């Protein structure tokens, strides 16, 4: 399993990570206008929403950032846990919004982040972890230990 | 748009729906052993978890049942809302665990339920609603207004 470059670290996203997380996410998709206050509200929501699972209070959202040696956020991603009736009242992890800064490509940070989020979800009791991706990224996710499971469909107004 | 047969109705899933919901879900997938108490805990969690979105408290989970004229649950499904940073701090709806009782096939209940959950998600402000399905069900979801968006990948221990 690959490991982070020396000096790099990974931790839960905090409300103070506004600029770097938003800038990193712009690589991935449309972020649009989001204020510092909105960002702080969302991260505070993520960090305070819990699920009671087999008598333990666990976080529903597990947003993570990777920091370089200078403490700058250079990658971000989230896994959130869905509470189901099926599979004996099981949990499913949903990996979302993975982005790595352009100048940090080639260090396997995407792979490390996916493996970290996947392990987190399983440690919290998920019977499976899922994600949706473009056809062109299937090979990357197979390297992360995922396999093709179905078709993602969407509905937009 | 198709409508429910006379006497049928749709409402939020309640903790008292234990037997019928669990029996209906067994058509879909593995449910396993789940006690009445566990079921009640999960539905209570679904019905009490909220998101603050643009100053309004909204449910994160929207589980629904369809009842026939005698009040029996004959279909079930859920949409839950994920809070994101991207798309201006947007919401995405995830449609999950759609099941219709075997003796109720052919009444377009699946279609009605999907359209109901999709409309609910958009009314609550979701910029998109997604679901994962088998290749063989793509045509059905296209009839519901969905289009192919990507590949679902999964990771199981």
């Amino acid at each position: 399993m690959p490991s982070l470059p020396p000096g790099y670290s990974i931790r839960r996203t905090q409300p103070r990570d506004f600029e770097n997380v938003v800038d990193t996410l712009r690589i991935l998709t449309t972020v649009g206008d989001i204020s510092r206050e909105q960002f702080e509200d969302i991260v505070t929501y993520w960090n305070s929403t819990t699920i009671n699972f087999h008598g333990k209070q666990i976080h529903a959202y597990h947003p993570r950032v990777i920091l370089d040696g200078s403490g700058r956020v250079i990658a971000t991603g989230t896994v959130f846990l869905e509470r189901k009736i099926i599979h004996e009242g099981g949990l499913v992890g949903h990996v979302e919004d993975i982005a790595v800064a352009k100048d940090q490509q080639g260090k396997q940070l995407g792979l490390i982040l996916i493996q970290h989020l996947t392990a987190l979800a399983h440690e919290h009791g998920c019977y499976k972890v899922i994600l949706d991706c473009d056809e062109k990224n299937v090979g990357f996710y197979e390297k992360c230990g995922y396999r093709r499971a179905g078709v993602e469909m969407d509905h937009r107004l």
Side-chain angles (χ1 to χ4, degrees), chain A:
Chain A
M1 225 164 105
S3 52
L4 288 173
Y8 282 49
S9 58
I10 190 163
R11 65 158 168 77
R12 176 174 277 272
T13 308
Q14 297 298 338
R16 68 176 184 273
D17 295 321
F18 173 59
E19 284 95 350
N20 280 171
V21 168
V22 169
D23 287 350
T24 306
L25 283 169
R26 288 194 201 281
I27 296 160
L28 172 70
T29 187
T30 308
V31 177
D33 279 336
I34 184 161
S35 67
R36 177 182 298 273
E37 191 187 353
Q38 281 176 292
F39 178 87
E40 290 172 354
D41 281 353
I42 295 167
V43 176
T44 301
Y45 170 75
W46 284 348
N47 291 353
S48 63
T49 303
T50 59
I51 299 175
N52 183 311
F53 187 63
H54 296 314
K56 277 168 70 174
Q57 288 297 124
I58 60 176
H59 285 291
Y61 285 81
H62 299 262
R64 290 292 185 274
V65 288
I66 298 181
L67 312 173
D68 69 8
S70 74
R72 182 174 71 105
V73 172
I74 44 78
T76 178
T78 296
V79 62
F80 71 85
L81 312 187
E82 176 204 356
R83 192 86 164 92
K84 285 186 179 288
I85 300 293
I86 63 173
H87 286 263
E88 306 186 338
L91 293 179
V92 168
H94 296 252
V95 170
E96 299 283 340
D97 303 339
I98 301 296
V100 177
K102 282 227 170 83
D103 63 352
Q104 298 285 323
Q105 311 280 340
K107 295 176 182 170
Q108 298 198 288
L109 298 178
L111 178 71
I112 291 166
L113 185 55
I114 295 291
Q115 290 182 335
H116 184 86
L117 294 171
T118 305
L120 263 177
H122 285 303
E123 281 160 22
H124 283 87
C126 289
Y127 69 90
K128 73 171 178 180
V129 188
I130 63 174
L131 56 84
D132 295 316
C133 69
D134 285 347
E135 186 65 46
K136 68 178 191 297
N137 294 327
V138 166
F140 166 71
Y141 287 109
E142 284 174 345
K143 274 184 218 153
C144 297
Y146 283 73
R147 54 163 209 186
R148 194 183 284 267
V151 180
E152 180 203 10
M153 307 286 292
D154 77 4
H155 186 288
R156 292 169 190 253
L157 286 182

